[in-house]
């Protein structure tokens, strides 16, 4: 086990672990946190937590990972000093009675987490392999079964069941059960970290911040959170576009207004007046790979595309697998975007054999939609550039890119995987600039470029 020898070692290890988990912590911010430690009471653990959070955490989405790592590097207790007297020799029915009492109270009560630690000490260690013991949350929760205590707790909390009071009570119980489950999991992680090393458990326990979750490897829960990132991203882009327009180059001289204003100063044009610049609102054409291998990526980029409709004069979207079809009508104003994406594979004429063929797609697109790309168009291609060893049709792509005002390609694969197997990333990237776009953070960075 690797144990930090001093507060300085613990601080350095904690900051390094935050960076390893994907939180953007600069050296200057690490120094700010060290300075903060000099003015807080180090014996007050929650004060220490908030001092670190104030100096190191930039976004709410980063806080869960920060809290998990803080609990590993600055645990509330160490094994042997966790107060197992809470459990004592009490029988299981007595322990469940005590848990029901705690769940009707405040999870911030120190007795709440002390009880969770005692229960992990009593039930949490099981044989993971022959001759090897380890710690788990499941046997603790199975033994105590907090969900089966709900009826008992409602009876204790309410004089009469039903109506709004019961709904409020159920919400409170649900939150406290969730808090107890997390307290058990936190203590399990602490005990494993003591035995195996903090760094090892930190690498396996902390998920990256939601804006750095890989589109192609997101879990079902992360997919729902990622959807919620799309519309704030669109709003931030709209705000930046507005600011750039206000701060941008001024229009041409308005001669008449300037001369008229000079009459009040004896004909001397002390103040010049400029014509307001004509805003340039480009058209956007999106070519989106809808094959299974990149379906999650195309899902989010299409959501963003149609969240940005007001920033463009016209938006047209086309989906493809081995042939291409326009899907703009699926996203008509007022339509449910998630429903439209679900209908895409059923209603669009895009799957003939189910294998992506970029070359055939580019040729069919140029043939079927010759007026789609013009001098005011920003052409955006979304896909992994894997063409199943088919002819790439680079000439057709070069012609399409030449017709557009701008052309971009977003690739959801890591750059290290480009040009492996059937990938044509470099040939296509030599025609249309290709950007790695594996997560929301990279998508946001690209959106800045598009603006």
């Amino acid at each position: 086990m690797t144990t930090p020898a001093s507060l300085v070692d613990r601080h350095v290890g904690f900051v390094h672990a935050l960076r390893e988990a994907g939180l953007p912590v600069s050296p200057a911010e690490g120094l700010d946190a060290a300075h903060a430690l000099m003015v807080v009471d180090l014996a007050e653990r929650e004060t220490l937590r908030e001092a670190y959070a104030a100096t190191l955490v930039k976004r709410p989405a980063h806080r869960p990972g920060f809290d998990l790592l803080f609990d590993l590097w600055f645990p509330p207790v160490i094994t042997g000093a966790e107060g197992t007297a809470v459990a004592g020799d009490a029988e299981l029915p007595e322990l469940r009675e005590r848990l029901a009492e705690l769940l009707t109270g405040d999870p911030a009560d120190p007795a709440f987490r002390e009880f969770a630690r005692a229960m992990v000490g009593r039930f949490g260690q099981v044989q993971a392999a022959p001759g090897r013991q380890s710690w788990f949350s499941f046997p603790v929760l199975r033994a105590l079964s907090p969900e089966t205590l709900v009826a008992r707790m409602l009876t204790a909390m309410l004089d009469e069941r039903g109506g709004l009071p019961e709904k409020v009570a159920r919400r409170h119980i649900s939150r406290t059960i969730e808090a107890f489950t997390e307290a058990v999991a936190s203590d399990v992680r602490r005990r494993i970290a003591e035995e195996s090393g903090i760094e090892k458990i930190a690498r396996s326990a902390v998920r990256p911040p939601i804006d750095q979750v890989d589109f192609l490897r997101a879990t079902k829960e992360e997919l729902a959170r990622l959807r919620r990132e799309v519309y704030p991203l669109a709003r931030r882009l709209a705000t930046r576009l507005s600011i750039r327009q206000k701060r941008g180059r001024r229009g041409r001289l308005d001669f008449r207004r300037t001369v008229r204003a000079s009459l009040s100063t004896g004909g001397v044009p002390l103040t010049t007046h400029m014509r307001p610049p004509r805003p340039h609102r480009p058209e956007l054409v999106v070519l989106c790979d809808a094959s299974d291998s990149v379906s999650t990526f195309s899902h989010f980029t299409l959501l963003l595309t149609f969240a940005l409709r007001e920033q463009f004069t016209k938006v047209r979207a086309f989906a493809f697998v081995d042939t291409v079809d326009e899907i703009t009508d699926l996203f008509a104003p007022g339509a449910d975007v998630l429903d439209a994406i679900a209908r895409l594979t059923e209603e669009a004429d895009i799957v003939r054999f189910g294998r992506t063929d970029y070359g055939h797609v580019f040729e069919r697109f140029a043939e079927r939609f010759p007026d789609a790309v013009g001098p005011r168009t920003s052409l955006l291609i979304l896909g992994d550039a894997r063409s199943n060893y088919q002819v790439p049709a680079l000439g057709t792509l070069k012609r399409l890119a030449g017709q557009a005002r701008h052309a971009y390609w977003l690739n959801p694969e890591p750059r290290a995987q480009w040009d492996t197997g059937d990938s044509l990333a470099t040939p296509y990237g030599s025609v249309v600039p290709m950007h790695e776009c594996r997560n929301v953070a990279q998508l946001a960075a690209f959106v800045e470029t598009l603006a």
Side-chain angles (χ1 to χ4, degrees):
M1 169 185 169
T2 303
T3 304
S6 68
L7 179 60
V8 172
D9 294 332
R10 204 167 277 272
H11 168 81
V12 171
F14 177 51
V15 171
H16 176 72
L18 290 173
R19 294 195 189 105
E20 287 282 300
L23 275 69
V25 179
S26 69
E29 289 163 343
L31 290 174
D32 288 342
H35 291 147
L37 301 187
M38 300 170 63
V39 297
V40 301
D41 185 353
L42 298 181
E44 293 289 337
R45 183 168 175 268
E46 290 309 308
T47 301
L48 179 64
R49 182 196 299 270
E50 295 310 318
Y52 267 119
T55 51
L56 302 180
V57 179
K58 297 182 179 66
R59 297 185 58 194
H62 297 163
R63 185 62 191 251
F66 164 86
D67 283 332
L68 193 154
L69 288 171
F70 180 88
D71 289 339
L72 288 174
W73 287 89
F74 301 93
V77 296
I78 58 174
T79 299
E82 64 266 38
T84 54
V86 172
D89 296 325
E91 297 295 330
L92 185 58
E94 297 175 50
L95 295 175
R96 281 168 49 79
E97 191 68 36
R98 175 57 177 155
L99 176 59
E101 180 184 336
L102 290 170
L103 291 175
T104 58
D106 184 0
D109 184 346
F112 189 91
R113 287 189 172 272
E114 188 178 353
F115 182 82
R117 290 193 291 268
M119 294 302 97
V120 173
R122 179 158 177 173
F123 299 109
Q125 191 171 38
V126 297
Q127 184 169 317
R132 178 171 169 267
Q133 299 281 318
S134 190
W135 299 93
F136 298 92
S137 298
F138 176 72
V140 180
L141 301 175
R142 180 181 59 189
L144 296 172
S145 302
E147 293 84 0
T148 65
L149 299 172
V150 173
R152 183 186 309 180
M153 288 186 281
L154 289 173
T155 300
M157 295 172 69
L158 302 171
D159 295 329
E160 185 178 346
R161 298 282 293 272
L164 181 60
E166 181 172 342
K167 289 183 179 179
V168 173
R170 284 185 178 275
R171 276 200 295 268
H172 174 78
I173 292 170
S174 177
R175 285 195 297 268
T176 54
I177 289 177
E178 185 178 342
F180 179 74
T181 302
E182 175 51 36
V184 169
S186 177
D187 196 62
V188 167
R189 287 192 294 266
R190 173 184 69 83
R191 293 170 186 268
I192 295 175
E194 287 182 0
E195 296 178 358
S196 303
I198 299 174
E199 296 87 350
K200 181 178 179 180
I201 187 63
R203 283 193 294 268
S204 61
V206 182
R207 291 288 297 171
I210 193 63
D211 62 344
Q212 296 182 26
V213 170
D214 196 316
F215 285 130
L216 304 184
R217 294 175 175 80
T219 65
K220 185 176 181 179
E221 179 185 354
E222 288 167 339
L223 292 180
R225 295 174 60 197
L226 281 169
R227 290 192 193 101
R228 294 195 289 271
E229 290 287 313
V230 169
Y231 289 99
L233 178 59
R235 286 195 296 271
R236 290 200 299 272
L237 174 62
T239 300
R240 290 184 177 92
L241 286 172
S242 175
I243 293 173
R244 291 183 182 188
Q245 187 174 12
K246 291 176 182 177
R247 295 180 180 176
R249 182 173 58 86
R250 300 168 69 188
R252 294 181 300 171
L253 176 68
D254 190 329
F255 184 75
R256 288 187 178 183
R257 289 182 63 201
T258 301
V259 170
R260 192 177 300 117
S262 71
L263 296 178
S264 62
T265 56
V268 179
L270 297 179
T271 303
T272 57
H273 291 268
M274 314 299 289
R275 296 181 185 275
R278 291 185 177 180
H280 173 70
R281 296 182 66 200
E283 300 173 359
L284 180 64
V285 169
V286 180
L287 272 172
C288 179
D289 186 344
S291 60
D292 288 342
S293 61
V294 293
S295 59
T296 308
F297 168 64
S298 60
H299 178 106
F300 291 105
T301 48
L302 280 175
L303 279 175
L304 179 66
T305 297
F306 285 90
L308 292 173
R309 277 177 295 189
E310 66 273 15
Q311 303 304 323
F312 298 90
T313 304
K314 182 192 300 183
V315 174
R316 295 181 69 180
F318 302 83
F320 66 85
V321 177
D322 64 341
T323 188
V324 62
D325 194 17
E326 184 165 8
I327 58 172
T328 308
D329 290 344
L330 296 179
F331 298 88
D336 182 281
V337 179
L338 291 177
D339 179 60
I341 292 174
R343 291 166 51 200
L344 186 154
T345 54
E346 298 176 3
E347 300 183 19
D349 179 22
I350 56 174
V351 180
R352 289 186 307 161
F353 308 110
R355 297 177 58 128
T356 312
D357 185 345
Y358 280 82
H360 183 262
V361 165
F362 294 142
E363 290 173 347
R364 287 290 291 158
F365 177 74
E367 176 187 332
R368 292 184 59 189
F369 310 101
D371 60 338
V373 179
R376 295 185 60 190
T377 303
S378 289
L379 174 62
L380 181 60
I381 302 173
L382 314 173
D384 57 9
R386 293 191 175 274
S387 198
N388 290 292
Y389 303 101
Q390 304 299 317
V391 177
L394 291 174
T396 304
L397 178 61
K398 186 177 297 186
R399 186 168 68 255
L400 290 170
Q403 293 170 353
R405 181 183 182 89
H406 303 290
Y408 312 90
W409 191 311
L410 301 186
N411 191 329
E413 286 195 333
R415 192 176 294 271
Q417 295 180 16
W418 294 6
D419 297 324
T420 61
D422 59 344
S423 171
L424 294 171
T426 294
Y428 283 140
S430 66
V431 178
V432 175
M434 190 171 291
H435 304 260
E436 181 184 289
C437 187
R438 296 187 293 115
N439 52 47
V440 168
Q442 291 182 333
L443 181 58
F446 168 74
V447 161
E448 293 287 341
T449 303
L450 186 63

